[in-house]
Each structure stands twice: as C-alpha cells, then as structure tokens.
Amino acid sequence: MKYFFSLLWVLLLAFNTIVSASSFSAVLEWMYSNGLTKYNTETEYRPNDYVTRWEIAKFFVQYAKLKNLTKVNTNCSFWDIANYDSTLQPFIIEACNYGLMKWSQWNFRPNVNLTEAEAVTVIARTLFGLQNENANPRWTEYYNIASTYNIISGRDLWSLDRKATRATVWTWLYNASLIDINSIQNESADDVEKILEEIFWNL
C-alpha cells in the first residue's frame, strides 16, 4: 500500500499544474478565503504593484501562521526599522523569528523593494528551511527547490534579480501551498528511484 501511494505521489508531483500570473484571480480567491488579504478584487489589491521588504513582511508572517510554521530565531533586532510604520515593525521581527527574512549587520533594509530572488528564497524556506547560501548567486539552492517543485515557471536563475510584484509573490506562495511537505519528507531517495524506474520501464 505504501508503494502505491509513493507511486501516486510521484505522478502527482510530475503532473502538478502551477498557477501563472495571468490567472491571479484564483490566487486572490485563495488569499481572501484564508484571511491573507482583506481585498477580494484585483482592483483593490493592485497585483502589479511592487512591494517593499517591510510591507511584504506582514504577508509572509500571515502565510507562516496559516502553514503552522515554527519560529526558529530569537535574536531578531534591527537598527533600521525604528522610523517605519510601527504597526508593521512586529511583523518584521516575526518574519525573522520564522527564519524567513533577515539581513546582515542588523539592517533589514525595510524600504528596499523585494526582489524575485528574495521571494523565491523566502518561499523555499517555508518548505525546507535555511539552505546553503555560499553559491553564486546566493539564491541558487532556493531557485533549485522552486524549480524542482514547480513553484515558479518562466524564470532562469539570474533573471530573478529584479523587483517582484504582489501577484508574482503570492502566485508562487500559492503554488508552494499545494505541496505536501510531509509526503516529500517521508519518501526516501531509494523509494523514489525505484518508482521512477518502474514508471519508465513500463512506458
């Protein structure tokens, strides 16, 4: 029985349908129904707007709570957030507590636009936590995760170094939300290899 469900899982993963930015209405409906936004129309939500790091921190925290993520960091003090919206400062700290957003030398860079590379990094961390960041570019491991699990499409590694829109970030988060991380973690590499061998042997 376990073998059957393993086979089913691999097939579902292989044929997983991702949502594109052009079908953002489905993503917005998911967001609204799960309390991730108070807006239920694209006009109100402004999906094509860019977002700053301090604005998006709130959304990442709301998503972390929806997915019941565990806080992993306690040392999350930033020197450069005192002059920004006081209602958003706790979300910046929480985003760091969850291990999703951080920066070096105690600077969060709140007023800088979030890049697609940063969005991919955060989204991959919601699934598998911190990865090796010594590669070039730094987001390589996170990009590999997002590509492997069909979270993103139509992007190459270096093209992610550009500003992210609200629609892009939330479409990728929606795609990530469809992944059953428990099933992935329970599968051993040997099981998956045997299943793939059987699939292709019988084609």
Side-chain angles (χ1 to χ4, degrees), residues 9-62:
W9 172 74
V10 172
L11 287 172
L12 288 173
L13 184 60
F15 294 103
N16 180 36
T17 302
I18 64 173
V19 175
S20 66
S22 61
S23 56
F24 182 72
S25 57
V27 177
L28 184 58
E29 182 179 351
W30 168 77
M31 291 169 59
Y32 183 75
S33 64
N34 283 284
L36 298 173
T37 181
K38 64 181 179 180
Y39 303 116
N40 60 359
T41 68
E42 293 190 40
T43 301
E44 292 178 303
Y45 185 74
R46 306 192 314 277
N48 295 318
D49 282 7
Y50 298 122
V51 289
T52 60
R53 285 170 54 88
W54 68 309
E55 292 171 328
I56 204 65
K58 179 177 181 180
F59 292 99
F60 286 144
V61 168
Q62 289 174 310

Side-chain angles (χ1 to χ4, degrees), residues 138-188:
R138 183 179 60 84
W139 60 86
T140 298
E141 291 296 323
Y142 301 109
Y143 170 82
N144 290 339
I145 290 171
S147 297
T148 298
Y149 295 104
N150 291 330
I151 294 169
I152 65 175
S153 65
R155 300 288 196 279
D156 61 43
L157 181 63
W158 288 97
S159 73
L160 296 177
D161 192 19
R162 59 184 176 187
K163 293 184 289 187
T165 65
R166 291 183 174 193
T168 297
V169 177
W170 276 106
T171 297
W172 291 351
L173 275 169
Y174 172 77
N175 291 336
S177 75
L178 301 177
I179 297 172
D180 186 348
I181 192 65
N182 292 321
S183 294
I184 294 173
Q185 291 174 339
N186 289 335
E187 296 297 333
S188 70

Side-chain angles (χ1 to χ4, degrees), residues 94-120:
E94 273 200 283
C96 174
N97 290 152
Y98 280 112
L100 301 180
M101 299 184 73
K102 58 187 181 70
W103 201 248
S104 60
Q105 300 176 340
W106 308 114
N107 292 310
F108 186 78
R109 303 189 312 153
N111 207 35
V112 174
N113 285 114
L114 186 80
T115 66
E116 290 189 354
E118 290 173 322
V120 163

